[in-house]
Amino acid sequence: MAYLSVRGGWSAMSVGLIVFCIFVLPNIAGCVSASPARRTHLQTNLLANGLAKTPPMGWNSWNHFGCQIEEKLIRQTADAMVSTGLAAIGYEYINLDDCWAESNRDSVGNLVPKASTFPSGIKALADYVHSKGLKLGIYSDAGNQTCAKAMPGSLGYEEQDAKTFATWGIDYLKYDNCNTDGTSPKERYPKMSKALMNSGRSIFFSLCEWGREDPATWAPGIGNSWRTTGDIRDNWNSMISRADKNDKWASYAAPGGWNDPDMLEVGNGGMTTEEYRAHFSIWALVKAPLLIGCDVRAMDDVTFELLSNEEVIAVNQDKLGAQGKKVKKDGDLEVWAGPLSNKKVAVVLWNKGPSKATVTAYWSDISLESTTVVSARDLWAHSTQSAVQGQLSVVLESHACQMYVLTPQ
C-alpha cells in the first residue's frame, strides 16, 4: 500500500521504493528515502559517524540569549533539562552558540574559552553536562570570524579545532557560514567534516549555510543535518516561511542526515499558543531537529506542555525516518502528511488563514485507499476516534492545527 501522495509531489516509483524498503529490505540502512536519487546517494555517501539515526533533540542558546551566555547559565540549563523531565523524553544536547571564545587564538593557534564568561573552561563544562547524562554542543564558523564577529572562525584551522573539540569532550558542532573567503561552502564544509571524522570522537556535524547552495543535494555525505533556510525569527511569518522553504527538500532526509529549518522558537513570546503548537507539530512531522530555543529554567506550563508532548515527539523520532510534507493546499488551508513505521500515517491539518475554517484531509490526499478504515489518534487532545473512513475533517481557529496518527485497522 502507498502512504505518500503523488498529488503531494512523490512519484509512483518513489512510493514503490518506500514499500520495497519497508517490506523487503527493512535492515538496510538508508532504505527509507522517498527519492531514487536520494536513496543511491545515501547508500554511497551517508556520513559514517553512526550518529543521527533520528533527528537530534536538545537546546541551543542563540534564539533566547544571543551572545549573553556564560557557564553558570549552561550548567543551570542542563540542570533544568533534567529536573523538568525533558532529558528523560529525549532532549539530550546542550548547545553553545556564538560568543563563547576569546576574540583571538592563543600563541599556538588554539581557540580559547572566554575567561570572563567560561572561566572553568569548556572541558569542565562538558564534564558537568556529561555527568547529567546529557551531551554538549559548540559553535564555530567556516570563515575567518563567526557571525557575531566576537571570536575566530575555523577556516584554515579545521584539523586543529576538531582535535580541540574532541579533547574537550564536545558532542555536536554547529558550523556557520559568515565572514568567509568567498569560496563555495561545498569546498569549505568537507574540510571540517573530515577533521571531525579524524578527531577520535563521534561529533554530530550541523551545517549552517542557510540553504544558499541547496545543501540537501550535497551535504548528506558531509554532515548530519543541514540548514535549508535562513535564520528563523520569533514570529508567525518567519516560522511558516521556514516550513515552506524546507518542504521542497523532503525526499533528501533520512536516518543519518536531516533537513534543518532552524531551531524552535516555542516559549520565546513572539507567537500565540496555537502558532507555537503548529510550529512544534510541523517541525516534528518534517523530522526537523528539535532544538529548544527558550529559557528552559523559566518555562511556563503552556510551553512545557508543548515541548513535552511525547506523542508528537514520537512522530519526529519514528524509526522509519521519512520526512512528512505538504500534500494539499487550498488557499490558506493545508494538509501535511508522511509515513511512519508499522504502516501508520502522520497527518497535520493546518489553518494558516485569518479566520476559523474547516480543514479536510481526504484519503486520496494521503494515498489511502478509499475503503481503508483507520483509528485516528489526536496527538494534542490525546484522544482516539475509531472506525474513521474516507476523510478526516476538523474546524480550526486562525493559525491553529490538529495533528493525528492514523492506524489502518
Side-chain angles (χ1 to χ4, degrees), residues 77-79 81-82 87 91-94 126 129-136 171:
T77 298
D79 294 343
M81 198 69 83
V82 173
Y91 292 99
E92 62 176 346
Y93 289 103
I94 306 294
V129 169
H130 292 158
S131 76
K132 298 291 180 177
L134 301 170
K135 298 177 179 180
L136 186 68
D171 303 293

Side-chain angles (χ1 to χ4, degrees), residues 107-134:
S107 60
V108 293
N110 292 317
L111 291 168
V112 181
K114 195 171 183 179
S116 61
T117 51
F118 293 90
S120 302
I122 302 300
K123 175 65 167 64
L125 184 60
D127 289 344
Y128 184 84
V129 169
H130 292 158
S131 76
K132 298 291 180 177
L134 301 170

Side-chain angles (χ1 to χ4, degrees), residues 14-298:
S14 300
V15 174
L17 276 171
I18 291 171
V19 175
F20 178 71
C21 290
I22 294 172
F23 295 104
V24 181
L25 295 174
N27 297 316
I28 295 181
C31 207
V32 298
S33 172
S35 160
R38 170 67 173 135
R39 179 171 174 263
T40 301
H41 188 66
L42 278 173
Q43 289 175 324
T44 57
N45 290 320
L46 188 64
L47 187 62
N49 61 8
L51 302 175
K53 298 292 178 60
T54 60
M57 296 175 60
W59 174 88
N60 179 283
S61 62
W62 186 258
N63 282 359
H64 190 85
F65 295 98
C67 278
Q68 305 304 309
I69 56 172
E70 40 84 27
E71 63 181 41
K72 181 180 179 181
L73 164 66
I74 305 307
R75 289 173 182 248
Q76 289 177 344
T77 298
D79 294 343
M81 198 69 83
V82 173
S83 65
T84 59
L86 290 175
I89 59 177
Y91 292 99
E92 62 176 346
Y93 289 103
I94 306 294
N95 293 347
L96 307 180
D97 211 282
D98 206 345
C99 308
W100 60 267
E102 296 285 5
S103 58
N104 294 299
R105 295 174 179 270
D106 67 15
S107 60
V108 293
N110 292 317
L111 291 168
V112 181
K114 195 171 183 179
S116 61
T117 51
F118 293 90
S120 302
I122 302 300
K123 175 65 167 64
L125 184 60
D127 289 344
Y128 184 84
V129 169
H130 292 158
S131 76
K132 298 291 180 177
L134 301 170
K135 298 177 179 180
L136 186 68
I138 209 162
Y139 169 97
S140 191
D141 187 282
N144 296 305
Q145 283 184 304
T146 59
C147 291
K149 296 185 178 180
M151 53 178 277
S154 292
L155 184 64
Y157 290 86
E158 293 87 356
E159 289 288 340
Q160 186 168 358
D161 289 354
K163 288 184 171 62
T164 296
F165 298 151
T167 299
W168 286 345
I170 294 299
D171 303 293
Y172 185 117
L173 174 64
K174 176 183 173 181
Y175 205 46
D176 227 331
N177 192 41
C178 291
N179 303 303
T180 73
D181 60 0
T183 60
S184 169
K186 297 177 185 179
E187 297 179 31
R188 288 176 285 109
Y189 280 80
K191 294 177 182 178
M192 180 55 83
S193 178
K194 182 179 179 181
L196 292 173
M197 293 295 287
N198 292 336
S199 71
R201 185 174 180 83
S202 294
I203 298 176
F204 186 108
F205 190 29
S206 172
L207 286 71
C208 183
E209 57 85 85
W210 317 299
R212 290 184 175 178
E213 294 196 23
D214 300 341
T217 64
W218 54 265
I222 297 169
N224 299 114
S225 68
W226 43 89
R227 281 280 293 280
T228 55
T229 72
D231 291 352
I232 194 171
R233 297 289 182 263
D234 186 22
N235 63 71
W236 168 256
N237 287 332
S238 177
M239 183 271 287
I240 64 171
S241 70
R242 272 48 183 175
D244 288 339
K245 289 176 182 177
N246 182 69
D247 184 49
K248 69 180 290 187
W249 305 110
S251 64
Y252 290 85
W258 308 101
N259 293 311
D260 178 9
D262 207 5
M263 300 168 290
L264 295 166
E265 290 283 8
V266 178
N268 279 329
M271 287 184 261
T272 68
T273 297
E274 290 302 332
E275 289 168 349
Y276 280 140
R277 194 190 317 278
H279 180 17
F280 193 68
S281 298
I282 293 296
W283 262 237
L285 181 80
V286 304
K287 305 300 188 288
L290 297 182
L291 297 177
I292 297 171
C294 68
D295 185 353
V296 298
R297 304 170 305 168

